[in-house]
Amino acid sequence: MQKLDTFDMVLFGGTGDLALRKLVPALYRRHVAGQMGPSSRVLAVARTNLSREEYLAQIETTCRKHLSGEEFTEARWRAFAAQVDYVRVDVTDPQDFRKLRAALEGRDDATRVIFLSTAPSLFTLTCDNLAAADIVTPKSRVVLEKPLGHDRASADLINRSVGAIFAEQQIYRIDHYLGKETVQNLMALRFGNTLFEPLWRRGRIRHVQITIAEQLGVEGRGQFYEHTGALRDMVQNHLLQLVCILAMEPPTSSDPDAVRDEKLKVLRALRPIMGNAVQNKTVRGQYRAGAVSGQPVPSYLDEAGVAADSTTETFVALKAEIDTWRWAGVPFYLRTGKRMTARRTEISVQLKAVPFLLFRDTPVDKLVPNVLTLRIDPEHGTTFDFNVKVPGPVMQIGAVKSSFKYGDFFAERPNVGYETLLYDCMLGDETLFQRADSIETSWAAVDSVLHPEGGPLPVHGYTAGSAGPKEADALLQADGRAWRPLADEHTQDDKN
Ligand code: NAP
């Protein structure tokens, strides 16, 4: 890995859930990997009045919890902690930014990564106050956590106001899915091998399924989730970004804009889901009481901070279509939900059937389709389902799998995506971050589903611990298909 220049990571929201669970442990790992030189610093910023020692005690607890025993050692912790400081700033008070300015005194030559891990409603004000306090230097970068707004109009507003302070190449809009190994491997797989390109098109691919299933519920963040829902939380960003990487044309180079231009073309080619199509191509669901991994869990409506008559969706399934020569007629079925039977993020690409059944005078009357599955979470790897002859005198065909697991080939370490992305933004590589035009186009794609012309769609209840509402099954059944099972590895048949 490339050595990083001296940097200051100014972490707004340093006491928040994301910082404590993900960002600080990821920074610790960067430190352990030797990428945080002795002059680099982490400056955590939040509203709570804490001394440096109190803050360090807080992050020590969470680092112990979220890092493995092997990773966390006293010596490493002391070395990392020596480079961490805390500054109390209420971002709504311009005077408080003077303290931050003072803490950064004499360090304007260092790369300054300003990470806004706060509610997006604070982004504009924070950037205005940073500029007014003279904290934005030519070597500054600002990282914006998702969700960037709650619809296209609010995203435009944030992009415009942040864009008034920072140049576009200084703005890093994060989607941590793009930092995950298997997501990046998708690019390597597609553009590092000749095997896939001839298959990667209509004519060869029948359909694509992308699933992000969680077993977790709202985890005490009911109030936040009430105003978000699965479409905003998962589809607008993670799922559409996966579609982009999967469907984009080969970029002309690995230059960040060459890659991002191709991804944008996919978003622009998404057929708008509007009018009757909203009802025909989308399904919303909300979990009811049930059991996940044998543990009883409450209904979404009984979660703290959730209205008793809430219609916020905790599950969404939709059929996306891409109007390009490569993808016309190939549906991309997307689904995501909370409190599902299993935790699983995967992309499965189902190839077309053979043109005719050669073995018709034999006991073979059906072949399972070839399916390439890219597993992103919890395990990292790929699986290919194909057919072989069952050994013996009679022609019989058996479905088999060929699997690749990262752990079998590489000394794998869990990477939630933030580590790669933090490294990239310190380095100044924008490839895995979203540009303003991409954010605005993806919001435009979901806005019509969020606000259908005939009023909101019904939200269908599903039992916690299931695979979602039956209406989501019907969405695929209407096309003669079925979702890949969540709980096991069997391939589902697909009628031709
Ligand atoms: P959170 O737990 O509610 O933390 C919010 C942070 O913002 C706290 O550090 C809080 O400081 C700070 N803050 C609030 N008002 C402030 C003010 N006026 N001045 C200065 N600091 C202020 O939120 P979170 O879960 O960490 O999420 C942060 C952002 O990341 C949100 O945009 C969220 O949507 C996004 N995100 C979160 C997750 C996740 O897993 N948590 C995942 C993806 C994206 P005090 O504690 O001192 O008040």
Side-chain angles (χ1 to χ4, degrees):
M1 272 193 173
Q2 204 169 321
K3 195 175 172 306
L4 297 170
D5 291 340
T6 298
F7 66 83
D8 285 326
M9 162 68 68
V10 183
L11 180 54
F12 282 86
T15 54
D17 174 71
L18 184 67
L20 297 179
R21 271 191 316 119
K22 302 269 173 72
L23 302 177
V24 174
L27 286 165
Y28 173 98
R29 287 192 175 122
R30 296 289 102 213
H31 187 273
V32 170
Q35 285 155 359
M36 198 170 151
S39 327
S40 294
R41 295 190 314 172
V42 175
L43 213 56
V45 178
R47 188 173 41 175
T48 310
N49 212 357
L50 292 174
S51 66
R52 175 169 179 266
E53 288 63 36
E54 285 168 326
Y55 183 69
L56 288 180
Q58 211 174 84
I59 59 171
E60 182 177 351
T61 308
T62 51
C63 279
R64 280 183 189 276
K65 187 168 162 197
H66 296 292
L67 295 164
S68 69
E70 213 173 277
E71 289 175 300
F72 190 93
T73 66
E74 293 297 334
R76 285 172 172 177
W77 165 252
R78 276 196 301 278
F80 172 66
Q83 291 176 245
V84 179
D85 205 348
Y86 178 81
V87 184
R88 186 207 166 270
V89 173
D90 181 339
V91 298
T92 62
D93 183 354
Q95 300 303 320
D96 276 2
F97 282 77
R98 289 187 188 169
K99 284 182 277 176
L100 187 56
R101 171 72 254 175
L104 291 164
E105 204 55 57
R107 295 185 59 91
D108 285 0
D109 288 339
T111 301
R112 187 168 291 167
V113 178
I114 302 167
F115 196 122
L116 303 189
S117 176
T118 59
S121 55
L122 297 175
F123 289 173
T124 301
L125 190 59
T126 308
C127 290
D128 287 348
N129 284 333
L130 284 166
D134 208 16
I135 291 172
V136 181
T137 59
K139 291 184 87 173
S140 290
R141 290 161 200 160
V142 67
V143 185
L144 306 178
E145 246 310 329
K146 67 123 203 174
L148 205 89
H150 55 272
D151 56 12
R152 168 145 194 187
S154 55
D156 283 358
L157 205 63
I158 294 174
N159 280 333
R160 271 204 306 277
S161 56
V162 176
I165 311 284
F166 293 90
E168 178 61 32
Q169 62 273 20
Q170 292 179 291
I171 306 174
Y172 289 66
R173 298 172 191 83
I174 209 160
D175 181 339
H176 70 268
Y177 260 75
L178 302 185
K180 286 179 185 268
E181 289 295 348
T182 320
V183 176
Q184 292 186 66
N185 185 40
L186 191 50
M187 296 264 285
L189 209 68
R190 282 198 60 197
F191 305 127
N193 298 290
T194 49
L195 176 66
F196 299 106
E197 176 54 21
L199 303 176
W200 222 252
R201 59 194 65 246
R202 69 190 302 275
R204 288 281 176 251
I205 293 180
R206 187 160 166 69
H207 77 264
V208 176
Q209 293 186 20
I210 309 182
T211 296
I212 305 181
E214 299 177 281
Q215 286 188 312
L216 295 176
V218 288
E219 307 304 297
R221 301 174 79 226
Q223 210 173 356
F224 157 81
Y225 202 79
E226 273 289 85
H227 302 289
T228 309
L231 255 166
R232 290 188 174 97
D233 197 33
M234 304 298 282
V235 178
Q236 179 270 334
N237 36 60
H238 305 326
L239 276 167
L240 289 184
Q241 281 299 310
L242 292 179
V243 171
C244 288
I245 301 176
L246 204 69
M248 71 182 181
E249 292 300 318
T252 51
S253 74
S254 60
D255 174 75
D257 275 330
V259 176
R260 299 190 297 177
D261 284 347
E262 293 306 333
K263 285 166 62 182
L264 179 64
K265 286 184 200 163
V266 175
L267 290 174
R268 288 192 171 147
L270 283 173
R271 188 177 304 170
I273 302 182
M274 47 195 3
N276 286 343
V278 180
Q279 191 151 11
N280 298 335
K281 293 183 183 171
T282 67
V283 174
R284 300 167 71 230
Q286 193 184 69
Y287 64 81
R288 302 283 176 253
V292 176
S293 297
Q295 295 300 314
V297 295
S299 166
Y300 176 71
L301 297 174
D302 294 326
E303 300 275 12
V306 171
D309 58 353
S310 169
T311 56
T312 300
E313 77 284 351
T314 61
F315 173 98
V316 68
L318 63 87
K319 176 177 173 179
E321 288 153 295
I322 304 171
D323 289 334
T324 60
W325 276 45
R326 190 186 281 268
W327 294 115
V330 180
F332 283 63
Y333 300 104
L334 317 181
R335 71 175 158 168
T336 180
K338 291 191 173 292
R339 290 290 190 223
M340 307 278 281
T341 182
R343 167 181 155 200
R344 180 169 293 186
T345 299
E346 67 173 33
I347 296 168
S348 81
V349 177
Q350 179 154 335
L351 299 176
K352 288 206 163 166
V354 293
F356 74 95
L357 203 57
L358 180 67
F359 315 103
R360 62 184 151 220
D361 298 327
T362 70
V364 179
D365 60 358
K366 187 164 97 169
L367 297 172
V368 299
N370 295 155
V371 182
L372 175 68
T373 302
L374 301 137
R375 300 185 184 286
I376 296 171
D377 192 54
E379 75 235 5
H380 291 183
T382 58
T383 307
F384 188 54
D385 296 339
F386 59 107
N387 297 299
V388 295
K389 180 181 176 298
V390 179
V394 181
M395 176 50 105
Q396 292 213 45
I397 301 284
V400 295
K401 280 179 194 302
S402 170
S403 288
F404 151 73
K405 281 197 196 128
Y406 262 84
D408 293 345
F409 286 82
F410 307 105
E412 197 196 5
R413 200 168 40 72
N415 175 1
V416 291
Y418 279 107
E419 279 174 67
T420 307
L421 297 172
L422 285 171
Y423 172 75
D424 284 357
C425 64
M426 290 165 191
L427 201 63
D429 182 345
E430 306 152 71
T431 315
L432 299 178
F433 297 84
Q434 296 191 65
R435 263 188 342 215
D437 47 11
S438 153
I439 294 274
E440 285 159 17
T441 314
S442 53
W443 271 122
V446 299
D447 264 5
S448 57
V449 181
L450 282 166
H451 307 292
E453 285 155 23
L457 290 189
V459 61
H460 304 284
Y462 63 95
T463 309
S466 70
K470 61 180 183 334
E471 288 77 4
D473 296 336
L475 181 74
L476 266 71
Q477 277 156 10
D479 293 345
R481 295 173 184 147
W483 291 105
R484 304 259 305 164
L486 280 178
D488 58 44
E489 300 227 315
H490 297 303
T491 308
Q492 197 80 356
D493 283 355
D494 183 19
K495 288 191 206 122
N496 293 315

